[in-house]
PDB file of all heavy atoms in Angstrom:
ATOM      1  N   ASP V  95     -91.654  50.292  44.805  1.00 92.00           N
ATOM      2  CA  ASP V  95     -92.913  49.601  44.665  1.00 92.00           C
ATOM      3  C   ASP V  95     -92.814  48.157  45.111  1.00 92.00           C
ATOM      4  O   ASP V  95     -93.811  47.587  45.462  1.00 92.00           O
ATOM      5  CB  ASP V  95     -93.445  49.770  43.216  1.00 92.00           C
ATOM      6  CG  ASP V  95     -93.634  51.197  42.857  1.00 92.00           C
ATOM      7  OD1 ASP V  95     -94.774  51.655  43.107  1.00 92.00           O
ATOM      8  OD2 ASP V  95     -92.672  51.808  42.370  1.00 92.00           O
ATOM      9  N   ASP V  96     -91.632  47.623  44.948  1.00 91.00           N
ATOM     10  CA  ASP V  96     -91.431  46.184  45.261  1.00 91.00           C
ATOM     11  C   ASP V  96     -89.993  45.943  45.412  1.00 91.00           C
ATOM     12  O   ASP V  96     -89.130  46.791  45.261  1.00 91.00           O
ATOM     13  CB  ASP V  96     -91.942  45.346  43.998  1.00 91.00           C
ATOM     14  CG  ASP V  96     -92.259  43.895  44.396  1.00 91.00           C
ATOM     15  OD1 ASP V  96     -92.007  43.533  45.622  1.00 91.00           O
ATOM     16  OD2 ASP V  96     -92.755  43.110  43.558  1.00 91.00           O
ATOM     17  N   TYR V  97     -89.644  44.698  45.816  1.00 90.00           N
ATOM     18  CA  TYR V  97     -88.198  44.377  46.054  1.00 90.00           C
ATOM     19  C   TYR V  97     -87.943  42.938  45.591  1.00 90.00           C
ATOM     20  O   TYR V  97     -88.873  42.078  45.681  1.00 90.00           O
ATOM     21  CB  TYR V  97     -87.729  44.668  47.437  1.00 90.00           C
ATOM     22  CG  TYR V  97     -88.317  43.679  48.406  1.00 90.00           C
ATOM     23  CD1 TYR V  97     -87.532  42.622  48.920  1.00 90.00           C
ATOM     24  CD2 TYR V  97     -89.594  43.814  48.893  1.00 90.00           C
ATOM     25  CE1 TYR V  97     -88.073  41.699  49.786  1.00 90.00           C
ATOM     26  CE2 TYR V  97     -90.147  42.950  49.808  1.00 90.00           C
ATOM     27  CZ  TYR V  97     -89.366  41.821  50.280  1.00 90.00           C
ATOM     28  OH  TYR V  97     -89.941  40.994  51.174  1.00 90.00           O
ATOM     29  N   ILE V  98     -86.763  42.674  45.171  1.00 89.00           N
ATOM     30  CA  ILE V  98     -86.367  41.307  44.858  1.00 89.00           C
ATOM     31  C   ILE V  98     -85.072  41.005  45.596  1.00 89.00           C
ATOM     32  O   ILE V  98     -84.150  41.868  45.733  1.00 89.00           O
ATOM     33  CB  ILE V  98     -86.040  41.134  43.332  1.00 89.00           C
ATOM     34  CG1 ILE V  98     -87.261  41.538  42.521  1.00 89.00           C
ATOM     35  CG2 ILE V  98     -85.629  39.712  43.042  1.00 89.00           C
ATOM     36  CD1 ILE V  98     -87.032  41.464  40.983  1.00 89.00           C
ATOM     37  N   VAL V  99     -84.972  39.791  46.167  1.00 83.00           N
ATOM     38  CA  VAL V  99     -83.818  39.466  47.001  1.00 83.00           C
ATOM     39  C   VAL V  99     -82.848  38.647  46.133  1.00 83.00           C
ATOM     40  O   VAL V  99     -83.276  37.634  45.522  1.00 83.00           O
ATOM     41  CB  VAL V  99     -84.290  38.654  48.252  1.00 83.00           C
ATOM     42  CG1 VAL V  99     -83.044  38.229  49.061  1.00 83.00           C
ATOM     43  CG2 VAL V  99     -85.155  39.486  49.085  1.00 83.00           C
ATOM     44  N   LYS V 100     -81.590  39.032  46.226  1.00 79.00           N
ATOM     45  CA  LYS V 100     -80.498  38.214  45.528  1.00 79.00           C
ATOM     46  C   LYS V 100     -80.191  37.004  46.395  1.00 79.00           C
ATOM     47  O   LYS V 100     -80.183  37.211  47.594  1.00 79.00           O
ATOM     48  CB  LYS V 100     -79.253  39.050  45.360  1.00 79.00           C
ATOM     49  CG  LYS V 100     -79.238  40.094  44.297  1.00 79.00           C
ATOM     50  CD  LYS V 100     -77.885  40.749  44.349  1.00 79.00           C
ATOM     51  CE  LYS V 100     -77.933  42.021  43.627  1.00 79.00           C
ATOM     52  NZ  LYS V 100     -76.548  42.787  43.740  1.00 79.00           N
ATOM     53  N   PRO V 101     -79.867  35.870  45.907  1.00 76.00           N
ATOM     54  CA  PRO V 101     -79.973  35.562  44.455  1.00 76.00           C
ATOM     55  C   PRO V 101     -81.427  35.256  44.057  1.00 76.00           C
ATOM     56  O   PRO V 101     -82.101  34.539  44.716  1.00 76.00           O
ATOM     57  CB  PRO V 101     -79.125  34.286  44.329  1.00 76.00           C
ATOM     58  CG  PRO V 101     -79.194  33.672  45.693  1.00 76.00           C
ATOM     59  CD  PRO V 101     -79.439  34.735  46.681  1.00 76.00           C
ATOM     60  N   PHE V 102     -81.840  35.892  43.001  1.00 82.00           N
ATOM     61  CA  PHE V 102     -83.175  35.745  42.448  1.00 82.00           C
ATOM     62  C   PHE V 102     -83.214  34.842  41.254  1.00 82.00           C
ATOM     63  O   PHE V 102     -82.110  34.589  40.663  1.00 82.00           O
ATOM     64  CB  PHE V 102     -83.854  37.092  42.241  1.00 82.00           C
ATOM     65  CG  PHE V 102     -83.054  37.960  41.347  1.00 82.00           C
ATOM     66  CD1 PHE V 102     -83.068  37.849  40.021  1.00 82.00           C
ATOM     67  CD2 PHE V 102     -82.206  38.969  41.936  1.00 82.00           C
ATOM     68  CE1 PHE V 102     -82.299  38.670  39.179  1.00 82.00           C
ATOM     69  CE2 PHE V 102     -81.395  39.758  41.067  1.00 82.00           C
ATOM     70  CZ  PHE V 102     -81.463  39.617  39.734  1.00 82.00           C
ATOM     71  N   SER V 103     -84.334  34.467  40.792  1.00 83.00           N
ATOM     72  CA  SER V 103     -84.347  33.747  39.510  1.00 83.00           C
ATOM     73  C   SER V 103     -84.910  34.639  38.467  1.00 83.00           C
ATOM     74  O   SER V 103     -85.635  35.639  38.696  1.00 83.00           O
ATOM     75  CB  SER V 103     -85.306  32.512  39.660  1.00 83.00           C
ATOM     76  OG  SER V 103     -86.546  32.924  39.629  1.00 83.00           O
ATOM     77  N   LEU V 104     -84.490  34.370  37.248  1.00 85.00           N
ATOM     78  CA  LEU V 104     -84.931  35.300  36.086  1.00 85.00           C
ATOM     79  C   LEU V 104     -86.423  35.239  35.945  1.00 85.00           C
ATOM     80  O   LEU V 104     -87.033  36.262  35.549  1.00 85.00           O
ATOM     81  CB  LEU V 104     -84.223  34.790  34.834  1.00 85.00           C
ATOM     82  CG  LEU V 104     -82.706  34.921  34.830  1.00 85.00           C
ATOM     83  CD1 LEU V 104     -82.033  34.342  33.575  1.00 85.00           C
ATOM     84  CD2 LEU V 104     -82.311  36.430  34.877  1.00 85.00           C
ATOM     85  N   ASP V 105     -87.010  34.029  36.261  1.00 84.00           N
ATOM     86  CA  ASP V 105     -88.532  33.975  36.099  1.00 84.00           C
ATOM     87  C   ASP V 105     -89.128  34.931  37.106  1.00 84.00           C
ATOM     88  O   ASP V 105     -90.116  35.580  36.773  1.00 84.00           O
ATOM     89  CB  ASP V 105     -88.956  32.527  36.386  1.00 84.00           C
ATOM     90  CG  ASP V 105     -88.503  31.603  35.327  1.00 84.00           C
ATOM     91  OD1 ASP V 105     -88.400  32.033  34.172  1.00 84.00           O
ATOM     92  OD2 ASP V 105     -88.263  30.414  35.636  1.00 84.00           O
ATOM     93  N   VAL V 106     -88.666  35.011  38.322  1.00 86.00           N
ATOM     94  CA  VAL V 106     -89.184  35.915  39.329  1.00 86.00           C
ATOM     95  C   VAL V 106     -89.016  37.313  38.867  1.00 86.00           C
ATOM     96  O   VAL V 106     -89.970  38.140  38.975  1.00 86.00           O
ATOM     97  CB  VAL V 106     -88.521  35.568  40.722  1.00 86.00           C
ATOM     98  CG1 VAL V 106     -88.871  36.666  41.620  1.00 86.00           C
ATOM     99  CG2 VAL V 106     -88.935  34.252  41.267  1.00 86.00           C
ATOM    100  N   LEU V 107     -87.844  37.604  38.362  1.00 90.00           N
ATOM    101  CA  LEU V 107     -87.562  38.904  37.892  1.00 90.00           C
ATOM    102  C   LEU V 107     -88.568  39.406  36.805  1.00 90.00           C
ATOM    103  O   LEU V 107     -89.203  40.420  36.944  1.00 90.00           O
ATOM    104  CB  LEU V 107     -86.147  39.044  37.299  1.00 90.00           C
ATOM    105  CG  LEU V 107     -85.751  40.308  36.702  1.00 90.00           C
ATOM    106  CD1 LEU V 107     -85.465  41.410  37.741  1.00 90.00           C
ATOM    107  CD2 LEU V 107     -84.457  40.163  35.820  1.00 90.00           C
ATOM    108  N   THR V 108     -88.762  38.515  35.828  1.00 88.00           N
ATOM    109  CA  THR V 108     -89.723  38.765  34.775  1.00 88.00           C
ATOM    110  C   THR V 108     -91.149  39.008  35.315  1.00 88.00           C
ATOM    111  O   THR V 108     -91.787  39.951  34.980  1.00 88.00           O
ATOM    112  CB  THR V 108     -89.753  37.615  33.736  1.00 88.00           C
ATOM    113  OG1 THR V 108     -88.427  37.320  33.464  1.00 88.00           O
ATOM    114  CG2 THR V 108     -90.471  38.016  32.492  1.00 88.00           C
ATOM    115  N   ALA V 109     -91.493  38.136  36.244  1.00 87.00           N
ATOM    116  CA  ALA V 109     -92.864  38.187  36.782  1.00 87.00           C
ATOM    117  C   ALA V 109     -93.103  39.495  37.586  1.00 87.00           C
ATOM    118  O   ALA V 109     -94.043  40.132  37.409  1.00 87.00           O
ATOM    119  CB  ALA V 109     -93.101  36.942  37.678  1.00 87.00           C
ATOM    120  N   ARG V 110     -92.096  39.876  38.289  1.00 90.00           N
ATOM    121  CA  ARG V 110     -92.166  41.113  39.185  1.00 90.00           C
ATOM    122  C   ARG V 110     -92.254  42.326  38.233  1.00 90.00           C
ATOM    123  O   ARG V 110     -93.035  43.225  38.513  1.00 90.00           O
ATOM    124  CB  ARG V 110     -91.044  41.263  40.099  1.00 90.00           C
ATOM    125  CG  ARG V 110     -90.950  40.182  41.144  1.00 90.00           C
ATOM    126  CD  ARG V 110     -92.048  40.363  42.123  1.00 90.00           C
ATOM    127  NE  ARG V 110     -91.964  39.353  43.207  1.00 90.00           N
ATOM    128  CZ  ARG V 110     -91.249  39.495  44.306  1.00 90.00           C
ATOM    129  NH1 ARG V 110     -90.630  40.582  44.483  1.00 90.00           N
ATOM    130  NH2 ARG V 110     -91.193  38.503  45.182  1.00 90.00           N
ATOM    131  N   VAL V 111     -91.395  42.347  37.242  1.00 92.00           N
ATOM    132  CA  VAL V 111     -91.310  43.448  36.372  1.00 92.00           C
ATOM    133  C   VAL V 111     -92.693  43.638  35.611  1.00 92.00           C
ATOM    134  O   VAL V 111     -93.281  44.707  35.529  1.00 92.00           O
ATOM    135  CB  VAL V 111     -90.213  43.322  35.225  1.00 92.00           C
ATOM    136  CG1 VAL V 111     -90.407  44.228  34.083  1.00 92.00           C
ATOM    137  CG2 VAL V 111     -88.873  43.527  35.911  1.00 92.00           C
ATOM    138  N   ARG V 112     -93.271  42.419  35.229  1.00 87.00           N
ATOM    139  CA  ARG V 112     -94.530  42.492  34.447  1.00 87.00           C
ATOM    140  C   ARG V 112     -95.614  42.951  35.364  1.00 87.00           C
ATOM    141  O   ARG V 112     -96.453  43.730  35.001  1.00 87.00           O
ATOM    142  CB  ARG V 112     -94.813  41.106  34.018  1.00 87.00           C
ATOM    143  CG  ARG V 112     -94.378  40.827  32.653  1.00 87.00           C
ATOM    144  CD  ARG V 112     -94.935  39.552  32.140  1.00 87.00           C
ATOM    145  NE  ARG V 112     -94.148  39.207  30.964  1.00 87.00           N
ATOM    146  CZ  ARG V 112     -93.997  38.003  30.548  1.00 87.00           C
ATOM    147  NH1 ARG V 112     -94.505  37.027  31.282  1.00 87.00           N
ATOM    148  NH2 ARG V 112     -93.359  37.751  29.466  1.00 87.00           N
ATOM    149  N   ALA V 113     -95.623  42.517  36.655  1.00 87.00           N
ATOM    150  CA  ALA V 113     -96.624  42.807  37.591  1.00 87.00           C
ATOM    151  C   ALA V 113     -96.660  44.312  37.788  1.00 87.00           C
ATOM    152  O   ALA V 113     -97.686  44.984  37.799  1.00 87.00           O
ATOM    153  CB  ALA V 113     -96.414  42.143  38.915  1.00 87.00           C
ATOM    154  N   GLN V 114     -95.441  44.951  37.937  1.00 90.00           N
ATOM    155  CA  GLN V 114     -95.363  46.393  38.124  1.00 90.00           C
ATOM    156  C   GLN V 114     -95.783  47.132  36.810  1.00 90.00           C
ATOM    157  O   GLN V 114     -96.480  48.168  36.915  1.00 90.00           O
ATOM    158  CB  GLN V 114     -93.981  46.796  38.485  1.00 90.00           C
ATOM    159  CG  GLN V 114     -93.619  46.398  39.965  1.00 90.00           C
ATOM    160  CD  GLN V 114     -94.554  46.958  40.975  1.00 90.00           C
ATOM    161  OE1 GLN V 114     -95.106  48.030  40.835  1.00 90.00           O
ATOM    162  NE2 GLN V 114     -94.818  46.183  41.979  1.00 90.00           N
ATOM    163  N   LEU V 115     -95.370  46.670  35.687  1.00 88.00           N
ATOM    164  CA  LEU V 115     -95.816  47.321  34.441  1.00 88.00           C
ATOM    165  C   LEU V 115     -97.272  47.228  34.225  1.00 88.00           C
ATOM    166  O   LEU V 115     -97.934  48.253  33.902  1.00 88.00           O
ATOM    167  CB  LEU V 115     -95.105  46.621  33.246  1.00 88.00           C
ATOM    168  CG  LEU V 115     -93.592  46.893  33.101  1.00 88.00           C
ATOM    169  CD1 LEU V 115     -93.100  46.125  31.897  1.00 88.00           C
ATOM    170  CD2 LEU V 115     -93.250  48.362  32.884  1.00 88.00           C
ATOM    171  N   ARG V 116     -97.861  46.058  34.582  1.00 84.00           N
ATOM    172  CA  ARG V 116     -99.328  45.882  34.476  1.00 84.00           C
ATOM    173  C   ARG V 116    -100.062  46.839  35.388  1.00 84.00           C
ATOM    174  O   ARG V 116    -100.966  47.520  35.038  1.00 84.00           O
ATOM    175  CB  ARG V 116     -99.614  44.436  34.779  1.00 84.00           C
ATOM    176  CG  ARG V 116    -101.037  43.999  34.290  1.00 84.00           C
ATOM    177  CD  ARG V 116    -101.242  42.538  34.536  1.00 84.00           C
ATOM    178  NE  ARG V 116    -100.334  41.653  33.846  1.00 84.00           N
ATOM    179  CZ  ARG V 116     -99.819  40.578  34.372  1.00 84.00           C
ATOM    180  NH1 ARG V 116    -100.107  40.176  35.572  1.00 84.00           N
ATOM    181  NH2 ARG V 116     -99.019  39.793  33.643  1.00 84.00           N
ATOM    182  N   ARG V 117     -99.517  46.996  36.631  1.00 85.00           N
ATOM    183  CA  ARG V 117    -100.120  47.837  37.614  1.00 85.00           C
ATOM    184  C   ARG V 117    -100.044  49.338  37.191  1.00 85.00           C
ATOM    185  O   ARG V 117    -100.956  50.082  37.349  1.00 85.00           O
ATOM    186  CB  ARG V 117     -99.411  47.657  38.925  1.00 85.00           C
ATOM    187  CG  ARG V 117    -100.106  48.215  40.166  1.00 85.00           C
ATOM    188  CD  ARG V 117     -99.306  48.133  41.403  1.00 85.00           C
ATOM    189  NE  ARG V 117     -97.999  48.835  41.248  1.00 85.00           N
ATOM    190  CZ  ARG V 117     -97.922  50.099  41.280  1.00 85.00           C
ATOM    191  NH1 ARG V 117     -98.909  50.876  41.533  1.00 85.00           N
ATOM    192  NH2 ARG V 117     -96.732  50.692  41.232  1.00 85.00           N
ATOM    193  N   ALA V 118     -98.848  49.675  36.674  1.00 86.00           N
ATOM    194  CA  ALA V 118     -98.629  51.137  36.393  1.00 86.00           C
ATOM    195  C   ALA V 118     -99.193  51.540  35.070  1.00 86.00           C
ATOM    196  O   ALA V 118     -99.626  52.724  34.919  1.00 86.00           O
ATOM    197  CB  ALA V 118     -97.112  51.399  36.498  1.00 86.00           C
TER     198      ALA V 118
END
Side-chain angles (χ1 to χ4, degrees):
Chain V
D95 298 271
D96 200 356
Y97 69 100
I98 302 179
V99 179
K100 285 183 198 172
F102 51 83
S103 76
L104 293 173
D105 293 328
V106 168
L107 177 72
T108 314
R110 295 290 181 89
V111 166
R112 267 186 194 156
Q114 287 305 325
L115 287 179
R116 199 177 294 146
R117 193 186 58 77

